Amino acid sequence: MGQEISISERLRSLLLKDTKVVILTGAGISAESGVPTFRGEEGLWKKFRPEELATFDAFMANPQLVWEWYEYRRKIIEEIKPNPGHLALVDFQSYFEKFDLITQNVDGLHHQAGSKKIIELHGNIKRNKCIRCGEKHEDLNKALPGIPPKCPCGGNIRPDVVWFGEMLPQEAIQYAFEVSSACDLFFSIGTSAVVHPAASLPVIAKRNGAYVVEVNLSPTEISHLVDESLFGKSGEVLPFLVKLLK
Ligand code: BJW
Ligand code: ZN
């Protein structure tokens, strides 16, 4: 069993149906499902340097290596399931009348858990698109073989995710800023909060008067500004919070 979880009276008092809630999740929420995180001791990028793999320039320089890295990660994701942290957020969604779930994750596990209307800031690893004509390739049956596969137009196909230096999907990030600035209660869950613009969302929420709570194994870049840190596994802390919803 994990550590004992305790929360403030203030947070308890905010767990009401008409509280406007925004959730931001990161790789940590999927860690208990078996998805490696990016940073930290077990992070994916202990083995691979991000600038070698998660940029468009890296893909252009070594498309095979980058494609294979994503194939390796897709295989992991295919074999795993949402964990109690993802499932708790489904309960949150059905309890709170105003609720938004924003994720930096590309693994689709919130969707698989049953959450609705998920704002995916960094794309989705299961989708692909052509770097030349932009056509989306949801499945690769129509693609021509190769590593990476080719679009019928001749362009290389890449994962439909957001790499460093690339713009986030405009509608998604705009909506994320809007709801974060207008919420009462903001949770930053399982993210190191170092990658922008996602990492600005808790800051914006705080600046606009929201009560900001982080759920993480250890302190993060935003620990100094949040109202409350709940240290523990999200797969334990979030189900604990669900039990407090009336
Ligand atoms: C647990 C747990 C458990 C573990 N329970 N917790 C402002 C300032 C400085 C820089 C910038 C800025 N604005 C933009 C930038 C540049 C850049 C950036 O942010 N750089 C910083 C790193 C310095 N941002 C961008 O380039 C973004 N684009 C952009 O801004 O466009 C406009 C622009 C264009 C051109 C020029 C300038 C501006 C795009 C960012 C795209 C990020 N993409 C990635 C890869 C996606 C595809 C893929 O998956 O391969 O997204 S990077 C990677 O990091 C991935 C993640 O979504 C993202 C965040 O990581 P996350 O989720 O926080 O994971 P970790 O591993 O860091 O943390 C896990 C946490 O969980 C840890 O804290 C653990 O403790 C915890 N944990 N187990 C609870 N069981
Ligand atoms: Zn094409």
Side-chain angles (χ1 to χ4, degrees):
M1 269 315 277
Q3 288 169 323
E4 199 178 311
I5 303 159
S6 76
I7 71 164
S8 70
E9 278 310 313
R10 179 74 206 280
L11 175 52
R12 233 172 246 271
S13 75
L14 281 166
L15 299 178
L16 302 173
K17 280 182 186 301
D18 60 357
T19 298
K20 280 184 250 166
V21 175
V22 171
I23 307 270
L24 171 69
T25 63
I29 196 166
S30 296
E32 290 157 74
S33 292
V35 183
T37 58
F38 292 92
R39 300 167 187 86
E41 281 315 303
E42 296 301 317
L44 267 179
W45 291 348
K46 280 278 166 206
K47 291 163 219 149
F48 304 100
R49 285 157 41 109
E51 55 276 24
E52 279 168 19
L53 298 168
T55 69
F56 187 71
D57 287 350
F59 183 69
M60 293 310 276
N62 200 341
Q64 182 171 351
L65 173 73
V66 174
W67 183 262
E68 283 178 345
W69 187 54
Y70 281 93
E71 284 292 277
Y72 158 76
R73 291 173 53 199
R74 281 184 182 122
K75 287 224 167 65
I76 297 178
I77 289 164
E78 265 166 29
E79 285 165 15
I80 57 168
K81 290 194 184 66
N83 66 59
H86 297 105
L87 298 171
L89 294 184
V90 181
D91 292 335
F92 269 47
Q93 187 157 41
S94 49
Y95 176 79
F96 293 108
E97 288 154 10
K98 290 261 168 59
F99 176 89
D100 285 288
L101 174 55
I102 304 165
T103 189
Q104 299 169 82
N105 299 345
V106 298
D107 57 29
L109 286 176
H110 286 303
H111 183 77
Q112 214 179 306
S115 286
K116 303 276 182 288
K117 209 183 116 219
I118 304 141
I119 316 301
E120 290 182 324
L121 295 181
H122 294 162
N124 192 303
I125 199 171
K126 292 174 191 160
R127 291 194 309 258
N128 297 285
K129 64 183 180 190
C130 171
I131 63 164
R132 187 180 290 172
C133 72
E135 187 175 335
K136 302 270 182 188
H137 290 270
E138 296 276 333
D139 67 58
L140 292 170
N141 288 335
K142 280 192 222 139
L144 306 171
I147 305 173
K150 296 263 184 226
C151 179
C153 84
N156 273 335
I157 292 176
R158 59 164 280 182
D160 192 5
V161 297
V162 181
W163 284 327
F164 283 114
E166 294 185 325
M167 304 297 285
L168 277 68
Q170 183 56 32
E171 208 181 313
I173 189 63
Q174 195 177 324
Y175 183 80
F177 273 115
E178 272 166 30
V179 292
S180 300
S181 15
C183 68
D184 306 311
L185 179 57
F186 185 103
F187 286 93
S188 177
I189 302 169
T191 174
S192 56
V194 294
V195 175
H196 288 269
S200 311
L201 297 172
V203 182
I204 300 285
K206 176 73 186 156
R207 211 177 279 159
N208 284 278
Y211 192 76
V212 179
V213 179
E214 72 173 345
V215 178
N216 204 300
L217 296 181
S218 47
T220 69
E221 286 292 303
I222 57 163
S223 296
H224 65 284
L225 72 86
V226 303
D227 294 290
E228 189 160 344
S229 294
L230 302 177
F231 293 121
K233 293 181 176 179
S234 47
E236 293 174 6
V237 175
L238 298 177
F240 171 83
L241 294 178
V242 167
K243 281 199 218 133
L244 303 176
L245 305 176
K246 287 167 208 108

